Amino acid sequence: MIYIYIITIVQLFSFGELNAQIWSGTIQYGKSTIDYHVELKKVENQTKAFFTSIDMNAYEIPCQNTTLEQDTLKFYVVSDFYTYEYQYVKQSENFKGNLKIYSNESEQLLNSFETKLNKTEPYQQNKTEKKDFTFESNGLQLYGTLWKPKESVQKGLFFVTSSQGNDRSGTNAEAYYFTSLGYTVFNYDKRGTGKSDGDWQSATIEELCSDDMNALEFFSKISSLPLADIGIKGSSQGGIKIPYIMSKMPDLGFGISVSCPACTLLESDLNHWKNLNYNNIGKDKIELALKVQKAGYNYLAGNILYESLEQLKNENSNEDWLKYIWIPERDVQKDYKLNFSGLPYFEKITQPVLVIQGLADEVIPHNSYKSIEKGIRKSNSTNYQLITLENTSHSMTWLNEDFPYFQILSPEYLPGISDWLTKIRNN
C-alpha cells in the first residue's frame, strides 16, 4: 500500500469569516503536474488545514499549527526524507509562489519549483458524502465507511483489505477518487486494525476473506446495490484475495487485482528479499542464501520443524551473508497466510476482471501477469484485461527523474482503471 506522512504548518492571509474553503494547487515540472488541495475549516474555534492529493495517494491529512496572516500563505510538509516548503503571495483572489525541497538529513536545499493556488468554487466542492458504519463479522465488531457520490452511476466499488496492520485510511484517497467519478464505495478497517476488533496476524487468508465477504453483503444492504452492480478491488495481499472472493461470490459484478503474485505469498516475500539483498550477497552466493531464508519463511508458515531451520543455519554459520538472513525465533507466531496462492482461483472466476502489474515491482515475480493470464484463459471469464505499467512499483508509484522527491502514483494507474470501468459499464 502507499503511505504519506505529513506534518504541516500553515500561515494564511486573513480574508474575513472562514468557513470550509478549498484551495487547489499545482506543482509544475517538465511536462508534468502534481495536483493537490488544502481544505481550511473551523474546528473548535481554531482554523485547521487538511491536505489532499490523489497524485500522492493522500486524503485529508491533518495539518498542524494553522494560522491566518495578512497576504501571504506558507506551509511545510515533512516526509521521512524531505521537507517541502510552500510559499505564496496573494495575487487578486489567488496565490502564486514556489515549493522548496530540503533534505531532512543534510538540511540542504535540493530544488525549487513554481506552484500556484486557486480558490475552488463552491459548486466544485463536496462531490462526496461519507458516513461511518459498524457491522459484525465472525463475532467481531468491524468499522467501515460508506462513500456516496452526489451524482451516482449506480455502481459500487469495495476495497478488499490488504496485508500488515493497515487500516482503511490507506485506501481513502482512491475511495475519494472513485466516488468523485460516481461510484458508491465502501472501505473498512481489517480485523485488528483501526477501530475493528480481532487479530489479523493469527487469521488465515480464508478468515480474512470471510470478513470481506460479510462486509460486501453489508455494503450491498446499506447502499441498496445488488452484488451484480458491485465490484471489488485489492492490491498485493488484497490482490491475491480478489479471485478467491470472486469465485466464492459469483454474483459479484467484477474484480480488480493489483500487484498480485502468481505464486504463494511466501514465494513473493522470498522474491522481494532476493531483490533487496542481491547486491549485498552477490551472484555466486545468492542461491545458497536464498535457501536459508526460504527455510526461515517456511518455519514461519508452519511448513518445517525448527530443528531443520537451525541445522541449515548452523551449516552456514561462517558465511558473511548470514547477517542478511532473517531467522525467526522458535516461539514466533505462525503465519499460515504465507502458504496461500490466488492463482488457482483465477481459473474459477466468471466475472470481468482487470489485472494490473508495475514492471518495476520488486516484490512479486516479474512474469506474474503472464501466469495469471494463462489462468484466466482457463476460466469462464470472457471479459478481462491485463495492464502493465512501465517504471511503476509494487505500490503503483512512479519514478519520475525530473521530480524524484515525491512518491507519485503512476499517471496511467487510476485513469486506466477508470477507462476499464467505463468500458464494462457500457457493455
Side-chain angles (χ1 to χ4, degrees), residues 49-61:
F50 300 86
F51 181 91
T52 294
S53 173
I54 302 304
D55 293 335
M56 292 183 275
N57 198 39
Y59 177 76
E60 290 192 351
I61 305 297

Side-chain angles (χ1 to χ4, degrees), residues 34-215:
I34 300 174
D35 295 324
Y36 63 94
H37 68 251
V38 177
E39 182 176 3
L40 304 172
K41 55 187 175 182
K42 286 285 189 182
V43 179
E44 297 178 351
N45 293 322
Q46 291 185 335
T47 302
K48 300 289 185 180
F50 300 86
F51 181 91
T52 294
S53 173
I54 302 304
D55 293 335
M56 292 183 275
N57 198 39
Y59 177 76
E60 290 192 351
I61 305 297
C63 305
Q64 311 235 344
N65 301 327
T66 305
T67 58
L68 293 173
E69 224 172 63
Q70 298 181 358
D71 63 349
T72 62
L73 166 64
K74 181 177 180 180
F75 59 89
Y76 299 87
V77 178
V78 182
S79 71
D80 289 340
F81 303 106
Y82 305 107
T83 295
Y84 313 95
E85 180 186 34
Y86 295 83
Q87 293 183 328
Y88 301 90
V89 176
K90 184 174 181 289
Q91 292 187 346
S92 185
E93 295 300 318
N94 299 315
F95 288 99
K96 185 176 182 180
N98 59 48
L99 162 64
K100 294 180 180 179
I101 302 167
Y102 297 87
S103 165
N104 289 349
E105 183 177 359
S106 66
E107 299 184 357
Q108 177 184 2
L109 175 63
L110 300 175
N111 216 324
S112 179
F113 297 88
E114 287 189 359
T115 183
K116 52 189 175 182
L117 208 59
N118 301 317
K119 181 111 174 259
T120 303
E121 296 299 327
Y123 71 87
Q124 294 179 306
Q125 301 179 18
N126 302 321
K127 292 184 178 181
T128 66
E129 295 179 359
K130 293 186 300 178
K131 185 176 181 180
D132 292 338
F133 286 88
T134 62
F135 61 98
E136 186 172 312
S137 175
N138 298 305
L140 302 172
Q141 198 75 9
L142 305 181
Y143 290 73
T145 301
L146 179 70
W147 304 65
K148 295 182 66 176
K150 291 291 187 179
E151 298 180 8
S152 176
V153 296
Q154 301 302 315
K155 297 289 182 180
L157 184 63
F158 174 90
F159 284 88
V160 170
T161 61
S162 192
S163 62
Q164 303 304 314
N166 303 320
D167 62 16
R168 75 189 112 156
S169 65
T171 57
N172 279 351
E174 289 196 25
Y176 172 77
Y177 173 83
F178 287 108
T179 307
S180 69
L181 296 180
Y183 292 86
T184 304
V185 176
F186 191 80
N187 61 352
Y188 77 102
D189 294 337
K190 180 174 62 177
R191 62 166 71 185
T193 72
K195 296 182 178 181
S196 292
D197 297 341
D199 178 12
W200 63 267
Q201 292 176 301
S202 62
T204 64
I205 286 287
E206 290 80 4
E207 288 171 330
L208 295 176
C209 286
S210 176
D211 289 341
D212 290 324
M213 290 186 280
N214 290 333

Side-chain angles (χ1 to χ4, degrees), residues 293-328:
Q293 185 57 80
K294 185 175 183 178
Y297 289 161
N298 267 318
Y299 179 72
L300 179 64
N303 299 330
I304 63 172
L305 297 174
Y306 196 79
E307 287 72 20
S308 300
L309 171 59
E310 204 166 35
Q311 179 181 348
L312 196 55
K313 174 188 173 183
N314 291 337
E315 289 174 357
N316 295 279
S317 59
N318 294 325
E319 296 287 351
D320 290 339
W321 48 257
L322 197 61
K323 62 186 176 185
Y324 299 109
I325 306 294
W326 176 73
I327 302 292

Side-chain angles (χ1 to χ4, degrees), residues 279-298:
N279 291 333
N280 294 326
I281 295 172
K283 180 180 179 181
D284 295 338
K285 299 292 185 69
I286 191 66
E287 291 304 322
L288 183 55
L290 201 64
K291 181 179 179 182
V292 179
Q293 185 57 80
K294 185 175 183 178
Y297 289 161
N298 267 318

